[in-house]
Amino acid sequence: EAVTALSEAGDRSGYGRYLDLVAELRDGQREHRFPLGAEEDRVRHAIALAAQGHHVALICSGDAGIYAMAALVHEVLALEPSRIAVSVMPGISAFQAAAARAGAMIGHDFCCISLSDLLTPWEAIVRRVRAAAEADFVTAFYNPRSLKRRDQLVEALAILKAHRPADTPVVIASNLGRPEEKVTILPLAEVDAAAIDMLTLVMVGSSQSSAYRRGDGRTYAYTPRGYAKKREAAE
């Protein structure tokens, strides 16, 4: 669906790096490149082009509806109505890709929390992390760390450590879906926040999540759905 939309659109709007990721699918489409941080500019530009009758693809990485542009498109349209059609093409978000690469970390209830306080007050983020820790969710952290934000991940992990065993598996996945992709599984007690950057997703298991090594030498992590109880009942 996404590939079809890209081929049918005459214009592409987005962050330059995201446009580069789909460069091999370009076939004469006009590109409208914007820098990182100019999210509303690229959304408004795409809406303006569409209002002029252009067929526009607004490019996001992962899933456009998860920490991306789809919500901002609808936010702008709610404030400033425009007679254009909008279709959101679902994709694979980083938490889904990370869980799949690691094994099956989101086999049970989970949540995603962005640690960026650029748009959300840090106090609100802390409340969400505490709620996730107490509710025993598998927790995926987006935007874990940057050059300016050094301590948020440290604090978030400290909150989870108070509610999780030291050997709780943590998936550290960087550059997912790209040639430099790297996925590591570590016990919670061994995670070094200083080694993590903005291109990395950190997924902390619940108290029920487990890691094990298979014959191929790789470690896999999963969160059981609860079938052990059914097996016990059958016995």
Side-chain angles (χ1 to χ4, degrees), residues 182-206:
K182 182 179 179 180
V183 178
T184 305
I185 300 172
L186 293 173
L188 179 57
E190 297 180 15
V191 175
D192 179 11
I196 293 165
D197 60 21
M198 276 293 289
L199 296 177
T200 302
L201 178 131
V202 178
M203 180 178 290
V204 182
S206 72

Side-chain angles (χ1 to χ4, degrees), residues 8-232:
E8 292 178 347
D11 292 84
R12 295 180 175 184
S13 177
Y15 172 41
R17 181 167 188 168
Y18 297 162
L19 293 175
D20 291 340
L21 290 174
V22 291
E24 73 277 7
L25 299 176
R26 187 181 179 190
D27 185 23
Q29 291 89 352
R30 293 173 295 276
E31 289 189 337
H32 307 268
R33 291 174 169 261
F34 292 84
L36 189 66
E39 290 84 0
E40 189 159 344
D41 290 341
R42 66 183 98 141
V43 164
R44 288 184 177 277
H45 187 70
I47 291 174
L49 287 172
Q52 295 168 15
H54 293 258
H55 194 159
V56 187
L58 181 59
I59 309 296
C60 305
S61 69
D63 186 299
I66 301 177
Y67 298 123
M69 297 294 93
L72 184 53
V73 168
H74 285 284
E75 182 179 348
V76 171
L77 288 175
L79 294 170
E80 303 169 19
S82 178
R83 293 175 64 85
I84 63 172
V86 178
S87 297
V88 179
M89 309 300 176
I92 300 298
S93 189
F95 79 91
Q96 296 166 289
R101 292 287 194 267
M105 274 287 278
I106 51 176
H108 210 319
D109 295 338
F110 63 92
C111 68
C112 298
I113 300 174
S114 171
L115 294 184
S116 173
D117 57 359
L118 292 177
L119 300 174
T120 305
W122 178 242
E123 295 75 15
I125 295 172
V126 169
R127 287 198 301 272
R128 292 169 187 174
V129 175
R130 286 175 177 158
E134 293 171 1
D136 203 19
F137 285 124
V138 172
T139 306
F141 290 123
Y142 279 71
N143 307 311
R145 204 162 181 264
S146 70
L147 292 175
K148 294 182 179 179
R149 295 183 298 100
R150 315 296 290 177
D151 301 323
Q152 283 88 338
L153 180 60
V154 174
E155 185 173 345
L157 290 175
I159 293 171
L160 286 169
K161 285 177 180 178
H163 298 269
R164 302 283 190 277
D167 61 353
T168 299
V170 177
V171 176
I172 301 172
S174 61
N175 288 294
L176 286 160
R178 300 168 187 172
E180 319 91 284
E181 177 178 288
K182 182 179 179 180
V183 178
T184 305
I185 300 172
L186 293 173
L188 179 57
E190 297 180 15
V191 175
D192 179 11
I196 293 165
D197 60 21
M198 276 293 289
L199 296 177
T200 302
L201 178 131
V202 178
M203 180 178 290
V204 182
S206 72
S207 64
Q208 301 303 305
S209 300
S210 296
Y212 74 109
R213 188 181 296 273
R214 298 197 64 200
D216 60 4
R218 286 184 56 194
T219 297
Y220 294 83
Y222 70 97
T223 303
R225 182 74 176 88
Y227 292 103
K229 293 181 180 179
K230 292 185 68 174
R231 291 196 298 273
E232 293 171 0

